[in-house]
């Protein structure tokens, strides 16, 4: 018999801030409104974070454009500032002066709040010959170890000790040596860490079974713009020839394929014809293929805009998350929402992260018919969802709940917005402009019962 997921009784205390997620603002969404126009796509969060970390490699000044205004970006800039870099911004443009880097130790308080700041270990050791970075620990979606990053750096000559939760890496002689490194799994973060480290290493590094994600390619393009020699980014074998120094550059981050995919689903789920852009269409292949399998037409308008044209009916389909170019794990929760409102059965299999089904319990509060068995969500389409108070449990789960709210009858109140604010730039304004009824409130409407929390149950 299949295991059923219980209704989630425990939206947890945020392990990072220690605060109850119900403390903060909420989003109220009145579903059933048609959207129209163009939903604008910001710069890619995951590319921006790693490109910011890569400015540690630069012995000069860099100008970065199209950096989304997100809580996570602010945290990465805090890491850079704590290491001595001078960072100034005007909107989405950041000027980063890498000449002044003078510390090799990333502060625990920030790394513990932003997992991606661990990726600073690669550029830091390459530039300074030493790096002390706290272990990032697990997060809401899984344990997320970093042994592939560490083993790769060791292959390049780093001596690594982990003590008191801090990874201390140092290179005798001060310079990493190029190496041939096979990654047991095409980890995005490990590929990025090692590619950055290799740009200033002595000799050639070959990364085999490397991640092929567009954000890896964007990082490689940024490093090349600084003078790095990198070939093969976007394939499973990346070759980097180390340089003595990297120079300043002016670079624009690619559009966020996950935000774009979320917006395409917003159109599909609200039965609205709308446009989404800018996008790089080749980054969207898996998402577009699954939307079409469900019965939603996606038309390319010009070079970088996709138009959603909903069909008469939506039909369930199966999805399995995989490394790029497979279906992205960061779109899994949003598609799960769409499939709850698609006819028939669907099976969604999460193969990348071990604990990425927590949105299911929240979708069930809205009337979804989903059972979870291990890494599979078995979905039976329902004709409608009904608005209810729900708790966002991680970043993409939050987006899934917003999408559900757009389609649900009545009002959906979403708690735990700190997750959403990590990765979606001004989401409610963008949706409002397209015609959605969505509002951020500082304190929850007194009518909305707050979902139970760990604290209220204990
Ligand atoms: C990045 C993205 C994240 C996305 C993920 C997969 C950023 C900031 N985040 O995360 O949004 O969901 O890619 O596309 O870019 N693993 C190990 N050992 C390691 C490293 C990873 O076992 O040393 C495992 C992880 O636990 C996970 C899998 O590999 O199960 C994929 O992780 P990885 O590709 O490294 O994801 P991140 O870089 O953390």
């Amino acid at each position: 018999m299949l295991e059923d997921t219980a209704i989630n009784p425990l939206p947890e205390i945020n392990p990072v801030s220690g605060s109850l997620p119900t403390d903060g603002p909420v989003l109220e969404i009145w579903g059933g409104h048609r959207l129209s126009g163009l939903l604008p796509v910001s710069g890619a969060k995951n590319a921006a974070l790693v490109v910011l970390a890569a400015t540690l490699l630069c012995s000069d000044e860099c100008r970065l454009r199209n950096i989304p205004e997100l809580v996570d970006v602010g945290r990465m800039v805090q890491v850079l500032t704590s290491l001595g870099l001078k960072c100034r911004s005007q909107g989405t443009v950041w000027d980063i002066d890498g000449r002044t880097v003078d510390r090799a130790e990333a502060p625990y308080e920030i790394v513990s709040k932003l997992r991606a700041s661990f990726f600073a270990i690669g550029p830091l050791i390459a530039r300074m010959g030493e790096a002390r970075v706290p272990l990032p620990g697990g997060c809401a979606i899984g344990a997320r170890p970093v042994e592939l990053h560490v083993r790769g750096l060791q292959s390049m000559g780093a001596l690594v000790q982990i003590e008191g939760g801090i990874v201390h890496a140092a290179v005798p002689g001060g310079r990493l040596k190029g190496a041939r490194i096979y990654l047991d799994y095409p980890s995005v973060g490990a590929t990025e860490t090692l590619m950055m480290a290799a740009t200033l290493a002595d000799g050639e590094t070959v990364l085999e079974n490397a991640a092929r994600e567009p954000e890896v390619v964007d990082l490689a393009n940024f490093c090349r713009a600084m003078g790095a020699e990198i070939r093969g980014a976007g394939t499973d074998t990346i070759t980097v020839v180390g340089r003595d120094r990297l120079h300043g550059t002016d670079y624009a981050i690619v559009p966020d394929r996950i935000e774009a995919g979320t917006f395409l689903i917003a159109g599909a789920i609200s039965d609205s014809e709308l446009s989404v852009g800018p996008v790089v269409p080749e980054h969207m292949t898996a998402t577009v293929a699954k939307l079409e399998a469900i019965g939603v037409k996606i038309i390319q308008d010009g070079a970088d805009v996709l138009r959603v044209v909903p069909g008469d009916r939506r039909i369930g389909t199966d999805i399995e998350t995989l490394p790029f170019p497979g279906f992205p794990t960061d779109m899994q929760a949003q598609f799960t929402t769409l499939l709850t409102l698609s006819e028939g059965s669907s099976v969604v299999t999460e193969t990348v992260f071990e604990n990425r089904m927590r949105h299911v319990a929240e979708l069930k509060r809205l009337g979804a018919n989903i059972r979870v068995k291990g890494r599979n969500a078995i979905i039976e389409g329902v004709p409608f969802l009904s608005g209810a108070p729900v708790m966002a449990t991680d970043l993409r789960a939050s987006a899934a709940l917003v999408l559900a709210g757009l389609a649900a009858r009545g009002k959906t109140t979403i708690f735990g917005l700190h997750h959403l604010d990590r990765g979606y730039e001004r989401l409610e304004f963008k949706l409002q402009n397209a015609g959605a009824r969505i509002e951020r409130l500082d304190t929850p409407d007194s009518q909305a019962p707050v979902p139970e929390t760990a604290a209220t149950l204990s």
Side-chain angles (χ1 to χ4, degrees):
M1 217 179 92
L2 295 172
E3 278 171 23
D4 209 348
T5 40
I7 289 287
N8 184 4
L10 297 173
E12 285 169 2
I13 292 177
N14 174 7
V16 171
S17 68
S19 65
L20 283 172
T22 48
D23 288 348
V26 299
L27 273 185
E28 287 189 348
I29 307 174
W30 287 264
H33 295 271
R34 286 271 160 90
L35 310 182
S36 61
L38 174 89
L39 274 167
V41 177
S42 301
K45 170 183 83 83
N46 288 347
L49 292 176
V50 74
V51 164
L52 281 164
T55 60
L56 282 165
L57 294 164
C58 181
S59 313
D60 231 325
E61 272 191 285
C62 289
R63 171 160 286 188
L64 301 177
R65 299 174 194 273
N66 206 27
I67 299 282
E69 294 179 53
L70 299 170
V71 170
D72 274 7
V73 164
R75 288 180 176 145
M76 184 58 92
V77 169
Q78 269 183 291
V79 172
L80 298 181
T81 308
S82 75
L83 297 170
L85 274 67
K86 294 207 173 73
C87 308
R88 277 177 297 127
S89 73
Q90 223 176 10
T92 58
V93 179
W94 278 89
D95 287 320
I96 316 265
D97 187 345
R99 286 173 296 198
T100 48
V101 56
D102 59 5
R103 285 192 64 191
E105 180 164 0
Y108 174 80
E109 316 80 71
I110 309 171
V111 178
S112 64
K113 289 191 184 123
L114 174 62
R115 211 187 163 280
S117 57
F118 183 78
F119 303 165
I121 195 167
L124 211 46
I125 190 172
R127 179 88 186 273
M128 308 289 282
E130 189 186 5
R132 287 170 68 86
V133 183
L135 273 172
C139 72
I141 60 175
R144 305 185 82 173
V146 289
E147 87 284 357
L148 296 174
H149 308 232
V150 169
R151 268 197 258 138
L153 292 174
Q154 285 170 325
S155 305
M156 297 172 81
L159 302 176
V160 182
Q161 275 186 318
I162 303 178
E163 250 178 47
I166 311 275
V167 182
H168 183 184
V171 213
R175 190 164 185 202
L176 293 166
K177 287 193 175 42
R180 180 169 281 269
I181 300 166
Y182 172 82
L183 295 172
D184 288 342
Y185 184 91
S187 153
V188 174
T191 302
E192 292 170 342
T193 293
L194 300 175
M195 190 165 75
M196 289 188 280
T199 60
L200 291 178
D202 188 14
E204 183 179 276
T205 298
V206 180
L207 300 176
E208 288 176 310
N209 199 26
R212 297 159 64 183
E213 269 68 2
E215 295 74 22
V216 172
V217 178
D218 208 33
L219 172 65
N221 288 339
F222 172 62
C223 291
R224 293 207 326 233
M226 292 192 293
E229 188 177 334
I230 303 177
R231 297 189 301 276
T235 75
D236 60 8
T237 305
I238 300 177
T239 304
V240 185
V241 180
R243 295 271 193 236
D244 290 339
R245 73 189 292 280
L246 298 184
H247 55 71
T249 190
D250 187 325
Y251 190 79
I253 301 295
V254 287
D256 195 312
R257 64 193 167 106
I258 306 301
E259 186 190 31
T262 304
F263 289 164
L264 292 177
I265 296 183
I269 207 162
S270 62
D271 288 321
S272 308
E273 180 166 336
L274 58 80
S275 298
V276 174
V279 299
V280 179
E282 308 86 78
H283 296 176
M284 306 296 299
T285 310
T287 293
V288 167
K290 283 299 166 189
L291 282 168
E292 288 186 336
I294 291 168
V296 180
K297 241 200 221 129
I298 305 292
I299 296 166
Q300 189 174 332
D301 283 334
D304 65 357
V305 172
L306 296 179
R307 184 154 45 93
V308 197
V309 183
D312 297 336
R313 48 199 286 243
R314 290 189 295 266
I315 299 148
T317 190
D318 294 345
I319 289 179
E320 181 172 317
T321 65
L322 288 169
F324 192 86
F327 181 88
T329 174
D330 287 350
M331 285 302 302
Q332 182 259 106
Q334 300 90 312
F335 265 91
T336 299
T337 298
L338 184 63
L339 291 170
T340 66
L341 290 171
S342 302
E343 289 171 33
S345 310
S346 306
V347 178
V348 173
T349 305
E350 173 59 57
T351 74
V352 180
F353 291 109
E354 66 273 20
N355 190 22
R356 210 170 194 181
M357 288 288 178
R358 293 171 71 202
H359 46 283
V360 166
E362 299 306 303
L363 289 173
K364 289 173 71 165
R365 290 187 201 269
L366 303 174
N369 181 353
I370 311 176
R371 289 171 298 169
V372 172
K373 183 177 165 88
R375 292 186 171 198
N376 297 312
I378 297 105
I379 304 165
E380 295 297 332
V382 293
F384 63 89
L385 296 175
S386 307
V390 284
M391 180 64 72
T393 50
D394 67 60
L395 170 57
R396 305 304 169 186
S398 318
L401 295 176
V402 171
L403 293 170
L406 293 176
R409 293 181 180 172
K411 183 175 81 173
T412 298
T413 307
I414 304 179
F415 294 78
L417 293 192
H418 54 283
H419 292 296
L420 193 70
D421 294 339
R422 286 186 38 226
Y424 285 89
E425 187 180 47
R426 285 188 274 278
L427 181 66
E428 65 267 26
F429 294 112
K430 291 182 181 183
L431 290 172
Q432 270 165 10
N433 283 340
R437 277 193 66 197
I438 177 168
E439 204 178 333
R440 181 180 291 245
L441 300 178
D442 280 339
T443 48
D445 177 327
S446 54
Q447 298 305 306
V450 177
E452 285 177 315
T453 65
T456 57
L457 287 174
S458 63

